[in-house]
Structure formats: C-alpha cells, structure tokens
Amino acid sequence: MSTQGYDSTGRHDSTRRYDDELRSEQRYVAGLYARLDAERARVKGRHGAALKGAASQDKDGTLVDRDAEVRALAAEMRRLDVADSGLCFGRLDAVAGHPSYIGRIGIFDEDDEYEPLLLDWRAPAARAFYTATAASPEGMHRRRQFRTRGRGVVGFTDEEFGRPDWHARGDEALLAAVNAPRGDGMRDIVATIQAEQDRIIRLEHPGVLVIEGGPGTGKTVVALHRVAYLLYTQREQMERNGVLVVGPNPAFLNHIGHVLPSLGESNVVFTTTGDLVPGLRVTAEDAPGVAERKGSREILGVLAAAIADRQRLPEHPVLLDLADVTVRIDAETAQWAREEARASGLPHNEARTVFAEIVTYVLTERAIGRIGRGWLSRSDKQAWEQLRADLVTELAENDAFTAALDELWPVLTPQALLAQLYSSPERLRAAGADAALGRTDGDAWTVSDVPLLDELVDLLGRDTAAEKAAALAATRERRAEAAYAAGVLDLMVGRADHMDDDDHLFATDLLYAEDLADRFAQRDDRELSERAAADRDWTYRHVVVDEAQELSEMDWRVLMRRCPSRSFTVVGDLAQRRSPAGARSWDAVFEPYVPGRWVYRSLTVNYRTPAEIMTVAAALLAEFAPGVRPPESVRACGVAPWSRAVDESDLAAAVDEFVVDEAGREGTSVVIGPPGVPGAVPPSETKGLEFDAVLVVEPERILADGPRGAAELYVALTRATQRLGVLHREPLPRSLTGLTQTGMAAGLGR
C-alpha cells in the first residue's frame, strides 16, 4: 500500500495543511481581538475622564466642547462593543501583495505607519471580497471565509479563482446562514453579502434609489447595509442629521432594529407612517375606500377648503363699545381684510395678523373721524397718531374685539380643524369632501389621518401670538438666570486669590454672567435619534422606506418634507401591494419629486424561501400578477409544503398541534390567518418578517378579499424558511391545489 501524500500519523497532506492554516488564522484573529480589547480599554478610560470634565487637553475648552467629546467617545465605545461579535469573517488574497483580512471595523497597526490589520467591510479595498468571481477575479486569487464561535475561528472555506481546489466551497457560508434557525430579529449579512447585493449597497447615487425584489430577496437587509455604508463614506453629513427608517408596523421595526446597531450605527430613527407626527396616538382604522380617498393628493383641495371655510364674514355687523365711541366690523371690512390676508401667502394662523391689522386700521380710521370731528385735522399728525395709538391699544385689550377675531379668523390647530371637519356633515359639504369621511368621533385618529395632520401643520402655520408670549417669558427667565450667575461670578472672582492655578483658570474662563448662565442652564443631552423622533420639523440626511408600495401619495409628501435633499433608499415589491392607496408604479411616485434623479435596481435571488415553498407561492402570483416573475430560490429544504382539510370543530386542535410540535424545535414559528382564528396573526402584521415554520389557516378566507386578499395570501405563504403548512375548511383555492394533502404529523416532516 502506498503512503504517498500521508505523514507519519496517517493524515493526508491536504488535511495537515488545512490544520496548519487554521491554527495560523486562529492566532491572527486572536491578535485582532487583543488590539480590540486594548482600544476599548483606552476609549473607556478617556470616556470616564471626559465625564469628569477632564478629558479635554484644551483647558480653555467650553462645556459644549466637552459634551461633544463625551458623545463622540460614547459612540466609539458602542462601535467597539458591537465589533466583538464576528470581528473578522474572512480573508482576501490578491494575485500580488499581502492578504487582506475583512471585518466589521478597521484596525490599524500604529507601530507600522498605520498599516491595515483588518479592513472595514465598507472600505473600497474590501469590495472584491463580495464581488470577485471566477469569471471576474478582480486581481484576486482566493477568498477565504471563516466559521466562528464566539471569539474563536473554528474553520474556514476557500474559493480559489482560476482553478478548482479540493476545498473550494464558496457557497457554504451563504447556505449555512440561510439554513440556520431564525432568532428574534433580523441578522446582518455582512459576512455573506452577495455580488448583486453589494452593487446596490455601494451604489453612488445622490437621489432616490428604488430596490424592488420579491419575497426573500434580502431587499430590507440590503437597504440597511446601504445605510451603514453611507454612514461610513459620508459620516459627517449623515451623523449631523441622522437617518430615518420607515417600516410597515412596530413588529417589523423590532425585527430589523438590531441590524444597524450590530454594524455600529446608532444615529437612526425607526418609525411607522402612523408615528410621523410626534405625540399623536392612532386608535382607529379606516375602511379601504376612505383610506384611498385620504391618501390621494386630491385631499389637498379638501384641506384648503376646510381652512377657507373657517375664514368667515360676519352675518351681521359686530358692534364694539370703546371708551369714547362705538365701532363695528361689517361684512365689507371683513371681506377686504380676508382678501389681504389670503393674498399675503402666509399660513392661516400667521395670516391672522394681516387680517387683524386691516380690521384695526378700518376701525381706528372710523373712530378717529368720529372722535375728532370738529377739532382734529389730519394736518395735526402728532395728535392724529397719538389718538390712533391709543385706539390700537384699546382694541388690543378689548375682549369683544378678540372674540370677533376668533370667530372670523380663529387660531386653528391641525387636530381641532380635522376633528371638527370629520364630525360635521355641514363642514364636510362646505369643503367639498366625500360624506364617507364623516365619523362621530372626530379625533379617533387613523394611520391615514397622519399625513393630513402633518400637511395642516404647514398650511396652518404657527400661533405667532403664543410663540411671542413664550419667547418673552423665556427672555425674562434668561435675565433672571444671568443675574444669579453674575452673583456667583462675583463670589468666585472674589475668592480667586485663594485658588490654585487650575481653579484660577476656571474662574477667569467665566468672563460674562450669561456664559455662566449657559453652563447652569438645562442642556438637551438626549441622543440624536431621541431628539429627531420628538421633533416634527427635524430633517434627515437620508430616509429608508420599507414596504414602500403601501405608502399613499400623501405619505410621500410627509417623507419628502422630512428629507429636503431627497436622499432615499426605497424598498418594495409592487406585487405585494395591499393598500388601495398604495403605489401602482414607481415612476408615478417619484417623477413629481425627483424627475430624472431616481434609479431602479432589482434583486432576483430568493435567499429566504426554499424552492418547494416558492413553487406554491409562484402559482398564486401567476394568477393575480401574471406579469411579475417570481424570484429564484437559492436552495431547497427537502420538506414538501402540505395542506390539511379540517372542519370547524377540529380547527383549534389542529392549530394547537402545530404550535406544540414547533415548540419542541429550534427556531421560530407563526400561525397566520384571517380575523377570528384563535392564536393567528393577520398577514399584514408579518410583512417583512421570516419564520422557520408557518401555518396558514383558511387561505380561502384571506383570498376572498379581492386583489388585496391575493397579495396578503402571497405574503403569508412566503414567510417560511423551512416548513409550510396550510389548514383549510372550504376547498383550497385553485392556485394552492399543488400542496401535498397530508395529516399534521406527516406534514411537519416527521
């Protein structure tokens, strides 16, 4: 027997070589973790010192500077903490040159001219790790992907470009990731980004990017990695204003909420369209037809008419008794004032000042004419103006005059205007609105009301009188704080002779009382994401919109106001649209806002849904969207989707059987069904989510809801990554007849 190719222990040369290289990689990655730990300890020390006010090397630095340093160091600590999980996930070997290790963050050798020991996955030099192929190796000859457990490297796979190799298994890492049991939230794909995904993540486009893909194509996670990439390449601009991520429901946001923090990014606000107006609570749901009307741009005319309806003329003259004369506001005067106020172009509440000024002018002119008859001439300008000033003051303090203004041109809030509109058939008719918009409880807000309320913020404008009063109160408080600070400053300067040098530097730094007042003032120490979420007027540098096909025309107006630069990553699938107010084409959505500045990219590979399940879903898709091509699944799971007919008395027990069986398995599961099915969630609440096992209950009832129902059933069928079962009471829809009819236990793959 020949022993060629084996060592003295009987190991094959290739096995020995693999073991040697594995030990080498383990030592290298251990060294990276040692550097990570040292850097973490250094930053933690600086952060602790900064909290005590001693981190700044500049003794003349302001408190604001020190606050900024504390925030920056805290962000760096978070970045280093998340890097601990899967710090290094691979190596890229160039045809010429040293190998490059790829990981979550960059680590450099400070002793060797900052040579990179670990490349951040977003760095340009790391791109070939995701895009190199045998056909286009991009100057590389090998890609090595690590398998890790905790901080240790337990194995690796190599893909060598240009020639076959005994352990060339380039898809192994990807298949291991997509086959792994699901956890509580979406995982990042930083170690297994595919070439078509990488091209989208790194796309240099300043406007709107639309990413469309069917179920399981990874469009959501690609969008989130694109945000991480933009935060890396445009850090200063992006961090100043932050990023807004809009999703379909809170469960979805919770599902994806771990991805960006796992990549070291925290200046991100996650929200739904129903939460875009801070402080508003959505408690009701509109019928589809009503939601469609509210979502159309045509509702803008209704809002404008509703405001105009509140700008009234008096039916009878309003008499005002002043000290020396009685004046009246008649319809002619109010008509002139209304025309001038509307012509000003100001929002309603701000235009009230114009309305009041015109009415005041007319009333004072008339009053002066009566009071001064026989003794006051216009040539006596000083007396004339003094009398006018007295009358203006008297009118401003006259309760009847204020009440008249409130009746003819009231200060309005978005909530009050819309609630009164909905609850009044007369006001709906006056605004030219469909009577279907009416409801008894006017302020029972729905998701469709949110963009209308946001629009009204701009149409109505601010209550300038209230803002002036608040500003005056703030000024008075500021003066009181400055006076107190001046007293403190006097005491501190008086003690300067008894201070050491450092204390004296601090005392002389307090040059003015108002500077000291600033230091005692309460500062907003919230994170950017908290401040942005609470501020309706905050504008973001970039906005991500998921399930974008569901947004109405009015929803898009809100989001465009939130991002004046029009920098968007939009994720959706028109075939899955369920909202009657949603998008029917991307061109119709974006051409009005960014003509010629939006680009479209599609994802075609299904990484989530196995081929067995996608075949079933594709049959349904062919019926309700015959022109849409389903994504191609990258894998099979070996378990056929099944269906089981049950009667009403057996339904609950069948659902329980599924739940009990899945409780004993690793991973996640869900029951999806129409309203009334115990323990089931509606398909709309599972959009964007994924589960190892899915049980769809009564698909015939879901499908009965017309085109919307077909889209919802398509969503339900494509949530599973491993196992799909269907329970039905009525005959299966024609598109699902390909399911294997079976009993429960057999259907679950046992």
Side-chain angles (χ1 to χ4, degrees), residues 267-300:
N267 288 336
V268 181
V269 173
F270 294 88
T271 189
T272 67
T273 54
D275 294 321
L276 284 170
V277 174
L280 188 74
R281 185 166 174 260
V282 171
T283 60
E285 183 176 354
D286 282 318
V290 174
E292 186 172 13
R293 290 177 177 86
K294 291 181 180 180
S296 169
R297 288 174 61 94
E298 294 178 2
I299 200 69
L300 291 171

Side-chain angles (χ1 to χ4, degrees), residues 185-213:
M186 179 179 285
R187 297 166 294 191
D188 66 64
I189 58 168
V190 64
T192 58
I193 295 171
Q194 300 301 291
E196 72 166 358
Q197 297 171 330
D198 187 81
R199 285 191 290 271
I200 294 173
I201 289 169
R202 298 176 193 263
L203 184 65
E204 299 293 340
H205 179 69
V208 174
L209 167 63
V210 177
I211 307 172
E212 186 163 31

Side-chain angles (χ1 to χ4, degrees), residues 518-587:
D518 279 339
R519 299 195 176 197
F520 283 117
Q522 182 178 3
R523 297 184 304 277
D524 190 345
D525 58 358
R526 295 174 297 172
E527 295 294 333
L528 179 144
S529 58
E530 295 178 273
R531 289 182 282 126
D535 185 355
R536 181 265 173 187
D537 294 324
W538 190 279
T539 57
Y540 296 88
R541 175 65 181 176
H542 191 77
V543 176
V544 176
V545 184
D546 209 319
E547 300 294 343
Q549 73 278 355
E550 306 297 347
L551 271 63
S552 69
E553 292 178 323
M554 291 300 293
D555 289 327
W556 285 110
R557 286 179 64 85
V558 178
L559 295 179
M560 292 297 169
R561 281 194 287 272
R562 299 293 193 273
C563 187
S565 66
R566 304 290 194 262
S567 179
F568 281 74
T569 298
V570 174
V571 178
D573 180 9
L574 294 178
Q576 295 187 58
R577 178 181 64 85
R578 62 181 294 274
S579 170
R584 287 170 171 78
S585 79
W586 301 121
D587 185 82

Side-chain angles (χ1 to χ4, degrees), residues 274-282 415 443 445-447 449-451 453:
D275 294 321
L276 284 170
V277 174
L280 188 74
R281 185 166 174 260
V282 171
Q415 288 88 340
D443 57 2
W445 304 118
T446 69
V447 171
D449 291 327
V450 172
L453 292 167

Side-chain angles (χ1 to χ4, degrees), residues 435-675:
L437 298 184
R439 65 190 187 211
T440 303
D441 191 354
D443 57 2
W445 304 118
T446 69
V447 171
S448 303
D449 291 327
V450 172
L452 278 59
L453 292 167
D454 192 78
E455 190 82 34
L456 285 169
V457 172
D458 287 348
L459 293 176
L460 295 177
R462 310 297 183 188
D463 181 353
T464 54
E467 289 186 351
K468 287 178 181 178
L472 180 60
T475 299
R476 289 171 178 166
E477 183 178 359
R478 170 74 177 173
R479 287 173 179 168
E481 290 172 351
Y484 170 75
V488 174
L489 182 60
D490 288 342
L491 289 174
M492 296 184 72
V493 172
R495 293 175 52 219
D497 292 340
H498 304 288
M499 296 178 181
D500 59 28
D501 291 342
D502 288 343
D503 288 335
H504 187 69
L505 281 171
F506 178 67
T508 56
D509 189 39
L510 304 178
L511 298 179
Y512 301 100
E514 289 198 358
D515 288 341
L516 184 58
D518 279 339
R519 299 195 176 197
F520 283 117
Q522 182 178 3
R523 297 184 304 277
D524 190 345
D525 58 358
R526 295 174 297 172
E527 295 294 333
L528 179 144
S529 58
E530 295 178 273
R531 289 182 282 126
D535 185 355
R536 181 265 173 187
D537 294 324
W538 190 279
T539 57
Y540 296 88
R541 175 65 181 176
H542 191 77
V543 176
V544 176
V545 184
D546 209 319
E547 300 294 343
Q549 73 278 355
E550 306 297 347
L551 271 63
S552 69
E553 292 178 323
M554 291 300 293
D555 289 327
W556 285 110
R557 286 179 64 85
V558 178
L559 295 179
M560 292 297 169
R561 281 194 287 272
R562 299 293 193 273
C563 187
S565 66
R566 304 290 194 262
S567 179
F568 281 74
T569 298
V570 174
V571 178
D573 180 9
L574 294 178
Q576 295 187 58
R577 178 181 64 85
R578 62 181 294 274
S579 170
R584 287 170 171 78
S585 79
W586 301 121
D587 185 82
V589 171
F590 296 114
E591 276 300 311
Y593 297 106
V594 284
R597 283 189 57 221
W598 68 278
V599 296
Y600 175 89
R601 295 291 185 272
S602 63
L603 292 169
T604 59
V605 178
N606 189 332
Y607 300 99
R608 177 181 68 220
T609 316
E612 296 92 338
I613 296 176
M614 199 61 217
T615 298
V616 175
L620 173 64
L621 182 67
E623 285 198 357
F624 79 91
V628 178
R629 181 179 178 181
E632 183 178 351
S633 295
V634 74
R635 66 189 176 93
C637 66
V639 179
W642 55 268
S643 66
R644 178 182 174 186
V646 295
D647 57 34
E648 186 172 1
S649 61
D650 295 332
L651 180 61
V655 171
D656 288 343
E657 186 180 347
F658 169 83
V659 172
V660 170
D661 184 89
E662 286 300 328
R665 296 170 178 257
E666 188 178 6
T668 60
S669 62
V670 69
V671 178
I672 304 175

Side-chain angles (χ1 to χ4, degrees), residues 217-403:
T217 53
K219 52 189 179 293
T220 296
V221 75
V222 166
L224 296 176
H225 282 67
R226 174 169 168 77
V227 169
Y229 175 76
L230 293 175
L231 282 164
Y232 176 81
T233 58
Q234 305 174 26
R235 175 116 3 227
E236 183 177 350
Q237 305 98 303
M238 297 285 283
E239 285 196 335
R240 187 180 304 120
N241 292 86
V243 175
L244 177 67
V245 176
V246 181
N249 54 58
F252 173 83
L253 295 177
N254 184 61
H255 179 65
I256 70 171
H258 304 291
V259 174
L260 284 169
S262 77
L263 298 173
E265 308 300 348
S266 59
N267 288 336
V268 181
V269 173
F270 294 88
T271 189
T272 67
T273 54
D275 294 321
L276 284 170
V277 174
L280 188 74
R281 185 166 174 260
V282 171
T283 60
E285 183 176 354
D286 282 318
V290 174
E292 186 172 13
R293 290 177 177 86
K294 291 181 180 180
S296 169
R297 288 174 61 94
E298 294 178 2
I299 200 69
L300 291 171
V302 172
L303 298 181
I307 295 172
D309 183 53
R310 305 301 293 272
Q311 301 163 353
R312 296 181 173 275
L313 304 179
E315 295 182 6
H316 305 286
V318 179
L319 300 180
L320 303 173
D321 294 324
L322 303 180
D324 299 314
V325 68
T326 296
V327 292
R328 67 178 190 172
I329 305 174
D330 52 30
E332 183 180 6
T333 299
Q335 175 72 22
W336 178 30
R338 186 170 71 174
E339 290 174 356
E340 291 293 327
R342 289 177 175 175
S344 71
L346 294 171
H348 169 86
N349 289 334
E350 296 169 31
R352 173 184 162 110
T353 301
V354 178
F355 182 86
E357 287 174 350
I358 297 297
V359 173
T360 298
Y361 170 79
V362 172
L363 296 185
T364 54
E365 281 290 305
R366 291 174 179 172
I368 291 171
R370 294 174 187 171
I371 295 172
R373 184 177 296 144
W375 65 271
L376 182 62
S377 167
R378 281 189 179 271
S379 61
D380 190 351
K381 293 183 178 179
Q382 184 174 358
W384 190 281
E385 291 304 324
Q386 182 59 52
L387 182 54
R388 177 189 296 280
D390 293 342
L391 287 168
V392 168
T393 300
E394 189 175 357
L395 279 172
E397 297 174 350
N398 187 288
D399 292 340
F401 181 62
T402 301

Side-chain angles (χ1 to χ4, degrees), residues 63-82:
L63 195 60
V64 173
D65 293 335
R66 291 175 183 170
D67 282 350
E69 184 173 18
V70 169
R71 289 177 184 272
L73 290 169
E76 180 67 5
M77 286 173 60
R78 289 192 297 270
R79 188 180 77 93
L80 295 174
D81 284 342
V82 299

